[in-house]
Amino acid sequence: MEQTDLVTTRYVTFDTDLRLESGRLLGPFTIAYEAYGTLNSAGDNAILVTHAWTGDCHAAGRHHPDDRKPGWWDNLIGPGKVLDTSRFYVICANVIGSCKGSTGPASINPKTKRPYRLSFPLVMVRDMVHAHKHLLDHLGITSLVTVIGGSMGAMQAVEWGILYPEFTRSIIPLAGTGRTSPMAIALNAIARQAIYNDPLWKKGNYKPEHPPASGFALARAVGHISFLSEESMEKKFGRRFSARDGIFDFFGQFEVERYLGYNGNNFVPRFDPNSFLYLAKALDLYDVGWNFSSMEEALSHLHCPSLWFAFTSDWLYRPEQTEEVVDILAEIGKPVSYHLIDSDYGHDSFLVEPHKFTPYVVDFLDEIARAQGV
């Protein structure tokens, strides 16, 4: 996809109830998505790209000619690229619970004509996948060549393989885990408290034009630290003190402090705090063994080939957590491949250094397509 190509976010509303893992019903619900390439007549050349926590469906191209940046995975999606749109129909959909076009806590509840806010039901990663299955059926997709995504996107990829084994022909999880660790939950707990303690949060009843900006910026900063690594922070900031401040100024900042403040404050206008909280809860609740007797039983339903990646400096979802899932799959005789990628960029490595893992992805997709005649 050339950088001059313009793409459009599309929306589909389903006038039906989606039964969630909690037992509650959500409906009607809207899914926002973008698609690149052309779906073949058999409907079987589709690749689903799944996004991370605060991501969206704008994975490639530009919405307007003057957009400063293209979609978040533009370097992977397009003609002749890793996810080759001259060959595959690539689709990325926004998850429910988000604020980027799909139904979430900031959406209008059709029953009350007011925003859901905290009346929105809790959603799990599994619910996100079930919602997206409605979309793929609507689009005429009969099966997926693969599902590929990092972090929360990796969780979705695994769920696709387990929940829809006949529909999903392979999965590629990056920087993923079989279940969220206590440390990751603890970090999200601190982020939550930062928002809760902001007096403008008002138990979720803030006005969009007056969000709990201070608490939200701090929550984002906490999350952002977990996406980085000690190596990347040392390279980028070291112990440099801000040139704007004096060392003996009590409120003077190191460059890393100033960066976190800048990143957090820039995030506030781009995302809804309640959506941030709901998606954080979905991450915390994630356990591939949910509603199964064990992780092993859950993974026994994953029949398709899977290609897994972990990154050496990722301390949010450590390589050992990926390897736990890979080892189980190997032990129960599932077709699984795994690569540990050497990178200093922490959890964000799959976004920052894709060239380190994409050759394996190309080979894997060639093998899948060749075996299945796509």
Side-chain angles (χ1 to χ4, degrees):
M1 181 171 299
E2 298 298 328
Q3 291 191 349
T4 54
D5 287 353
L6 299 183
V7 297
T8 301
T9 302
R10 304 169 190 172
Y11 305 86
V12 179
T13 297
F14 297 94
D15 192 17
T16 185
D17 286 331
L18 179 69
R19 182 170 293 277
L20 305 174
E21 290 294 311
S22 65
R24 292 186 61 183
L25 300 176
L26 177 66
F29 63 95
T30 297
I31 300 294
Y33 75 98
E34 289 187 8
Y36 322 97
T38 303
L39 185 65
N40 65 15
S41 58
D44 64 358
N45 70 327
I47 289 177
L48 179 65
V49 171
T50 48
H51 69 76
W53 182 3
T54 57
D56 55 35
C57 64
H58 183 41
R62 284 173 163 79
H63 290 148
H64 306 287
D66 56 351
D67 282 353
R68 188 169 63 89
K69 291 182 178 180
W72 56 271
W73 243 9
D74 186 76
N75 51 352
L76 267 67
I77 301 170
K81 296 184 182 181
V82 176
L83 306 182
D84 187 353
T85 54
S86 62
R87 181 183 183 190
F88 301 115
Y89 179 65
V90 180
I91 181 168
C92 184
N94 186 224
V95 299
I96 56 172
S98 180
C99 57
K100 294 294 186 175
S102 294
T103 300
S107 303
I108 299 299
N109 182 342
K111 297 180 178 64
T112 65
K113 311 302 181 186
R114 301 173 66 183
Y116 279 102
R117 298 192 175 98
L118 298 195
S119 71
F120 193 74
L122 285 179
V123 296
M124 299 180 72
V125 172
R126 197 162 290 177
D127 298 319
M128 301 170 186
V129 171
H130 286 314
H132 285 168
K133 182 60 163 58
H134 281 74
L135 174 67
L136 301 193
D137 290 345
H138 170 80
L139 294 175
I141 295 172
T142 57
S143 68
L144 289 168
V145 176
T146 201
V147 183
I148 179 172
S151 191
M152 190 179 80
M155 298 173 183
Q156 294 171 68
V158 178
E159 293 296 312
W160 273 101
I162 292 171
L163 299 175
Y164 299 103
E166 303 303 320
F167 187 83
T168 308
R169 306 201 316 264
S170 71
I171 61 170
I172 308 176
L174 300 105
T177 179
R179 51 193 164 199
T180 303
S181 71
M183 187 198 73
I185 295 171
L187 290 169
N188 283 346
I190 295 171
R192 271 191 285 275
Q193 287 301 321
I195 295 174
Y196 295 164
N197 291 341
D198 190 314
L200 290 180
W201 185 59
K202 300 179 180 178
K203 295 186 177 180
N205 293 311
Y206 52 86
K207 295 181 179 179
E209 62 271 24
H210 297 296
S214 178
F216 193 22
L218 178 56
R220 175 61 173 182
V222 171
H224 196 67
I225 292 171
S226 71
F227 305 154
L228 304 175
S229 72
E230 185 172 359
E231 296 92 335
S232 65
M233 295 173 85
E234 184 66 41
K235 286 180 180 179
K236 188 166 186 174
F237 308 108
R239 285 181 45 81
R240 291 190 304 278
F241 209 78
S242 172
R244 306 181 192 182
D245 304 328
I247 291 178
F248 297 107
D249 177 356
F250 183 79
F251 294 102
Q253 294 183 313
F254 286 90
E255 287 289 354
V256 66
E257 293 179 272
R258 191 170 290 282
Y259 169 80
L260 290 173
Y262 173 83
N263 183 278
N265 289 323
N266 270 9
F267 183 71
V268 169
R270 297 190 286 110
F271 214 81
D272 172 59
N274 283 342
S275 291
F276 183 90
L277 291 167
Y278 270 83
L279 296 181
K281 180 65 72 173
L283 289 170
D284 290 349
L285 292 173
Y286 184 69
D287 183 343
V288 72
W290 170 262
N291 270 350
F292 292 96
S293 62
S294 64
M295 188 181 290
E296 288 79 2
E297 187 202 349
L299 293 171
S300 71
H301 294 267
L302 200 160
H303 304 305
C304 67
S306 58
L307 174 63
W308 296 73
F309 295 96
F311 300 88
T312 53
S313 59
D314 184 352
W315 63 279
L316 181 62
Y317 298 153
R318 302 186 317 276
E320 308 93 89
Q321 296 175 21
T322 298
E323 290 159 7
E324 178 186 19
V325 181
V326 170
D327 288 347
I328 292 172
L329 289 170
E331 287 168 6
I332 61 179
K334 301 298 182 180
V336 58
S337 301
Y338 168 67
H339 297 280
L340 178 60
I341 304 299
D342 185 21
S343 176
D344 290 340
Y345 287 95
H347 189 60
D348 271 351
S349 295
F350 74 95
L351 295 171
V352 179
E353 294 190 315
H355 63 279
K356 290 190 172 182
F357 66 83
T358 49
Y360 300 110
V361 173
V362 172
D363 290 345
F364 181 75
L365 289 177
D366 283 345
E367 184 178 335
I368 295 296
R370 193 163 47 245
Q372 300 173 355
V374 177

